[in-house]
Amino acid sequence: GGIFGYASVKGGAKIEGCINHAKIEGNLFAGGIGGRLDGGYRSSGQTNSGSRDPNMENCSNDGLVLCTSDSVGTAQTLNGRYFGGIVGYGMGMCIEDSSSASGRSDNYRYDVSKRDSLAGKYVGGIIGHGEDSRLVGCSTKKGGYILGAEHVGGIAGSLSSDVKDVIQGAQKGVAATVNASYVIGNRYVGGIVGENGGGDTNSTVYNCINNGVVAGYEYYIGGIAGYNGSKGTLENCASYLSDYDHSVFRMVRDDWKAVEGDCVGGLAGYNNGTIRLTEDNNALTVKSVSSIVTGNNFVGGMIGFNDTEGNLDLADEYTLIGGQVEAAGRLHRFERFGEDPGKYARSKALRCKRKILCGRLYRCECGSSYRRYGSIRTPSEQYAGKDYRVGVYRRCNRISENICRKSVRRR
């Protein structure tokens, strides 16, 4: 780590006010401030005698954090795991009011020639992996890069317990958790977390906003979560990105060449859980999505692939207000869904103000389909320049009956 390799902080001790500008490279437990931090923190759901005070506070990092060897995929060998902008791995600890902009100190810039730098499993803008830990008022800043191979998240690569309890907005001031850095990986890549709700524990990503660019080369890439499993909920989350001159889109497509991924969405690449928007939430001033979404198959402005249990529970209107959606493969892109066999009705309308759509196969609002090559303004010329809505989405069997569901990668 930039300050320490390993620290055990208990009994009221605290790491505070640390700053790192140096580049950090390693093959296990690497972080901008520390590699591994063990503390005695007790979350609200625990009954042990640990402290409720933070173990780390007001720390920042803008040095690039990189893994030097990819994970080998066996539990016995940990090499290539746990890399974070602040801490690589945390056990029973709490990080409060800390931020990271990895790589900004030396003006790092990513392009496809540096794709070999996408190494490591469990890589996060704040923490690579947190075990019974908590993040309060933490964020990633503009100009930072979070680079990894698998389970790559703008805030956390992975977490062991309910994310709603683990990731919290600031106690004072901004109530939402925000990622503003570039997040680039291969599999399970998300603006907040790489994977949510894929295990046996219910997990909720709550009041989180992605202002950064999320890109991936293989599968499960999303603005909030790459993979939202059956135990996962994305609640009151949004993704905003301004790209009026299309410079960000050209960077992702031409410089990064990140157009090969399957299951890519503005909120979630894959969803088999719940995406919820409540009326009484004050953390989101604009309930919308504006993202750069590029990929191969199953590409959608909000969800790439919405599986059979995937549910949208919208107490208010969600709007796709901008950005750009492009799919290069045979299937598919839809204004909000790349593919949607979900069986649950939507409780509110999904509203669209999209302008540029690209792809080979389109599905229009009513569920019909037709082929087009190149760019068009809307899925159907009759909607050109207008806002339009869909209440309950109707699946188009003419498309879906010819698609093998096994083509969608599962855990």
Side-chain angles (χ1 to χ4, degrees):
I3 305 299
F4 62 88
Y6 170 80
S8 179
V9 183
K10 299 179 181 179
K14 181 188 298 186
I15 297 171
E16 187 173 8
C18 295
I19 300 174
N20 174 63
H21 302 298
K23 182 178 180 179
I24 306 297
E25 293 183 327
N27 63 3
L28 175 64
F29 299 134
I33 301 299
R36 174 168 176 165
L37 175 63
D38 291 352
Y41 180 77
R42 175 175 58 87
S43 68
S44 59
Q46 295 175 317
T47 58
N48 59 43
S49 58
S51 170
R52 296 293 303 277
D53 296 325
N55 311 112
M56 178 180 284
E57 190 173 10
N58 295 321
C59 294
S60 65
N61 166 63
D62 58 11
L64 186 65
V65 179
L66 289 177
C67 172
T68 56
S69 64
D70 214 344
S71 60
V72 296
T74 62
Q76 290 75 21
T77 304
L78 294 177
N79 284 350
R81 288 173 168 84
Y82 312 124
F83 304 86
I86 299 296
V87 173
Y89 180 95
M91 169 71 76
M93 57 94 217
C94 176
I95 303 175
E96 192 168 304
D97 298 330
S98 297
S99 64
S100 174
S102 179
R104 195 166 68 179
S105 63
D106 59 358
N107 296 313
Y108 178 85
R109 295 291 183 271
Y110 174 84
D111 59 54
V112 71
S113 68
K114 300 175 183 177
R115 188 172 170 181
D116 288 345
S117 64
L118 303 182
K121 187 175 182 179
Y122 309 121
V123 183
I126 299 297
I127 189 169
H129 176 78
E131 189 83 17
D132 295 326
S133 299
R134 191 182 187 202
L135 309 177
V136 180
C138 295
S139 63
T140 56
K141 304 301 183 182
K142 187 175 180 179
Y145 283 85
I146 301 152
L147 309 173
E150 183 174 343
H151 291 85
V152 185
I155 299 298
S158 66
L159 298 159
S160 68
S161 54
D162 193 319
V163 181
K164 186 173 181 178
D165 187 53
V166 174
I167 298 179
Q168 296 282 326
Q171 303 288 6
K172 298 179 181 180
V174 180
T177 299
V178 179
N179 166 61
S181 292
Y182 300 112
V183 184
I184 309 171
N186 291 325
R187 305 170 293 278
Y188 298 93
V189 185
I192 301 299
V193 293
E195 179 180 2
N196 180 51
D200 298 327
T201 304
N202 291 329
S203 181
T204 303
V205 177
Y206 182 71
N207 280 4
C208 290
I209 297 173
N210 174 46
N211 291 146
V213 179
V214 181
Y217 291 92
E218 295 186 20
Y219 51 89
Y220 301 145
I221 302 119
I224 299 297
Y227 183 103
N228 191 48
S230 59
K231 297 287 187 178
T233 298
L234 307 182
E235 184 172 342
N236 295 323
C237 294
S239 185
Y240 313 136
L241 179 65
S242 297
D243 188 30
Y244 297 108
D245 61 357
H246 306 300
S247 60
V248 177
F249 173 74
R250 289 193 294 270
M251 175 181 68
V252 174
R253 183 191 62 187
D254 301 334
D255 298 342
W256 299 358
K257 300 190 183 304
V259 296
E260 306 166 5
D262 294 336
C263 297
V264 187
L267 287 177
Y270 171 93
N271 178 51
N272 201 31
T274 297
I275 295 178
R276 179 180 298 128
L277 183 66
T278 61
E279 291 179 332
D280 57 351
N281 182 267
N282 296 319
L284 299 183
T285 56
V286 180
K287 298 170 182 177
S288 61
V289 175
S290 175
S291 298
I292 302 299
V293 185
T294 66
N296 191 32
N297 298 308
F298 306 107
V299 180
M302 289 189 176
I303 302 170
F305 191 98
N306 197 51
D307 215 334
T308 55
E309 301 297 319
N311 179 29
L312 288 183
D313 181 9
L314 307 181
D316 206 340
E317 198 171 73
Y318 236 138
T319 308
L320 185 61
I321 60 173
Q324 186 158 338
V325 181
E326 179 175 288
R330 177 177 179 274
L331 183 83
H332 179 60
R333 63 133 267 47
F334 173 60
E335 211 40 12
R336 280 147 298 280
F337 305 96
E339 172 70 357
D340 178 31
K343 64 183 180 181
Y344 295 102
R346 282 78 178 133
S347 56
K348 283 284 185 177
L350 296 172
R351 187 175 179 86
C352 177
K353 297 182 180 180
R354 288 277 318 113
K355 293 182 179 180
I356 300 294
L357 311 174
C358 301
R360 291 182 56 196
L361 186 62
Y362 292 81
R363 175 178 296 154
C364 72
E365 291 298 279
C366 64
S368 62
S369 66
Y370 59 90
R371 293 184 181 276
R372 279 293 177 88
Y373 294 88
S375 299
I376 60 174
R377 287 291 171 182
T378 62
S380 177
E381 281 77 0
Q382 64 179 302
Y383 294 109
K386 300 178 181 178
D387 295 343
Y388 48 96
R389 301 171 179 234
V390 55
V392 177
Y393 173 75
R394 290 183 285 173
R395 181 182 178 192
C396 177
N397 290 325
R398 284 179 294 168
I399 296 175
S400 302
E401 66 186 6
N402 296 320
I403 301 302
C404 176
R405 290 287 302 281
K406 292 181 181 179
S407 66
V408 179
R409 299 175 176 86
R410 300 175 183 272
R411 294 184 76 251

